[in-house]
Amino acid sequence: MALINCPECSKRISDQSTACPSCGFPTPSEQIDNNNLLASSRQRQKNSGCSGATIFLIIIIVLIGFWLVSAYDGYTEKVRQYSEEQSEPDKESPQVQESVFDSQLTQIPMLLSGSGEDGRYFLISHFTSYGLENVTYARRGNESDAYGEMQIDCTNHKIRKTSSENLEALKSADLGDWYTPTPDWTDQDIVNFICK
């Protein structure tokens, strides 16, 4: 046991005592113990704060992972459905084309182009837009059917048109440049029928 001076009142006290018997001031060994307790308490609080943040971060990572897996599953399902839809159009196209002739269609009389073409042309649709006549028609053939789309300027006697063996292909086809139809050809018969 050693004697030390009290930091407060400067009286001689034992280094083993927890406080000065004269003034009650804690001894340096007591202060060190208190500081150690305070430091360890702060460290425990710090550690518990870190573990809370770590748990929160893990939860966020798990939720993001779950969202990514769900999004990927949804994407693969859409890709599967799309590929199934794309693999079947060949089966449906002939039915669509045949159904055009199965419905009630208006026959376009072919008076100028000759009797060989009469009874083969049918009006599918006709509407007027911006002073132009827009016509979709079908031609019944011996081997295969054909479809056409025509824009007619009745005032200036000009047309532009496109044709295809597939009715769906007409939707994206280019009609080309304007020209005057040949007087004894089927185009002129269609113009005469529309521009009465």
Side-chain angles (χ1 to χ4, degrees), residues 3 16 21 25 34 49 58 65 80-81 89 113-114 132 150 156-157 163 193:
L3 292 177
Q16 299 296 318
F25 189 79
N34 286 342
I58 290 172
R80 186 188 61 75
Q81 288 174 351
S113 54
L132 299 175
M150 183 183 291
N156 297 315
H157 195 69
S163 61
F193 180 74

Side-chain angles (χ1 to χ4, degrees), residues 14 65 117 145 160:
S14 168
E117 293 297 317
D145 301 326
R160 59 189 199 146

Side-chain angles (χ1 to χ4, degrees), residues 4-193:
I4 58 169
N5 289 335
C6 173
E8 186 67 24
C9 66
S10 298
K11 293 199 178 181
R12 307 255 317 144
I13 58 170
S14 168
D15 66 347
Q16 299 296 318
S17 64
T18 58
C20 176
S22 285
C23 66
F25 189 79
T27 60
S29 64
E30 181 69 18
Q31 285 180 343
I32 291 171
D33 289 344
N34 286 342
N35 288 342
N36 287 343
L37 286 174
L38 185 60
S40 67
S41 172
R42 285 183 183 157
Q43 186 63 33
R44 276 194 303 267
Q45 287 176 346
K46 223 185 237 186
N47 289 345
S48 68
C50 287
S51 64
T54 304
I55 290 172
F56 179 73
L57 185 61
I58 290 172
I59 290 172
I60 295 296
I61 290 171
V62 167
L63 290 175
I64 290 172
F66 179 74
W67 176 76
L68 288 173
V69 168
S70 298
Y72 180 75
D73 288 345
Y75 171 76
T76 55
E77 179 63 23
K78 286 180 182 179
V79 168
R80 186 188 61 75
Q81 288 174 351
Y82 179 75
S83 63
E84 286 176 1
E85 290 171 5
Q86 293 303 312
S87 65
E88 296 178 8
D90 293 337
K91 296 176 186 173
E92 295 178 10
S93 294
Q95 295 170 357
V96 171
Q97 291 178 4
E98 289 174 11
S99 68
V100 169
F101 290 103
D102 291 342
S103 62
Q104 191 77 17
L105 296 176
T106 303
Q107 183 178 344
I108 302 172
M110 296 286 123
L111 305 174
L112 301 173
S113 54
S115 60
E117 293 297 317
D118 199 25
R120 291 180 181 247
Y121 282 79
F122 298 91
L123 184 64
I124 297 173
S125 70
H126 171 219
F127 67 92
T128 305
S129 175
Y130 297 105
L132 299 175
E133 306 298 322
N134 297 278
V135 178
T136 304
Y137 60 90
R139 181 188 183 275
R140 182 65 111 174
N142 294 334
E143 302 278 327
S144 65
D145 301 326
Y147 303 90
E149 188 170 84
M150 183 183 291
Q151 226 174 25
I152 305 171
D153 182 352
C154 292
T155 307
N156 297 315
H157 195 69
K158 298 277 185 187
I159 66 169
R160 59 189 199 146
K161 72 171 193 169
T162 187
S163 61
S164 174
E165 292 181 2
N166 184 338
L167 186 59
E168 290 296 314
L170 291 179
K171 293 179 182 177
S172 60
D174 180 23
L175 292 174
D177 295 328
W178 291 97
Y179 66 94
T180 303
T182 307
D184 60 346
W185 193 242
T186 56
D187 293 348
Q188 185 62 54
D189 280 324
I190 295 171
V191 170
N192 291 345
F193 180 74

